[in-house]
Amino acid sequence: MAPITTLLFIALVSFNVVQVAVSSDPDILTDYVLPPNTTAPDANYFTYTGVRSIVNTTYPEKFTVIKATLKEFPGLLGQSVSYAILEFPVGSINPLHIHPRASELLFVISGSLQVGFVDTTNALFSQKLETGDMFVFPKALVHFQYNANSTEPALAVSAFGSASAGTQSIANSVFNSTIYEGILAESFNTTSDIVERIEYGLRG
């Protein structure tokens, strides 16, 4: 399988000017913000090298996300932006989820993706994206990305209008929580044994 090339870095540089327009983080009143008990930062504080691991390597066997959020990159504190690198092997999916604190702007670097989101009227907005296409997922709406291609992997970069957009998996939040199975069965108009089978499948 072909390695991931330095095209990713070219995309990241150009993508930097296309930050999500509306940020959900509070404005700061200084050039940058430092963590408590930190003084006089150097350039290392504003540098993140965690994405180097995917350069000139093959795609993973399963869908993989490499994040550059406040948790991984403290230099983002107060900057209202973060990234995620999304690697999609053939037939893989980024399952239904939301980002409660930011919109997501996705850019397909290679391959193709079927993407979509559902708004609060339950309308589905779905699109097939080719290499070079972009798609915006509105803040806090349920969405997904799927590589339906049977021969070619896909690579995408997502930018968020928050240093900590958060990710909440719909399936895990519902079926891997401690919500009483009877409540789940009533909510989905099904039986407790079906709920148990779904829960078991998610744990596997």
Side-chain angles (χ1 to χ4, degrees), residues 38-62:
T38 303
T39 58
D42 59 18
N44 289 323
Y45 177 71
F46 303 99
T47 303
Y48 181 65
T49 61
V51 183
R52 290 181 181 178
S53 61
I54 71 170
V55 178
N56 296 323
T57 60
T58 57
Y59 281 79
E61 294 182 0
K62 296 181 180 180

Side-chain angles (χ1 to χ4, degrees), residues 1-12 51-62 64-66 85-89 109-111 153-157:
M1 190 174 294
I4 299 172
T5 68
T6 53
L7 175 63
L8 171 63
F9 287 98
I10 297 171
L12 284 173
V51 183
R52 290 181 181 178
S53 61
I54 71 170
V55 178
N56 296 323
T57 60
T58 57
Y59 281 79
E61 294 182 0
K62 296 181 180 180
T64 301
V65 181
I66 298 176
I85 313 301
L86 312 176
E87 298 177 275
F88 294 87
I109 294 176
S110 64
L155 179 68
V157 176

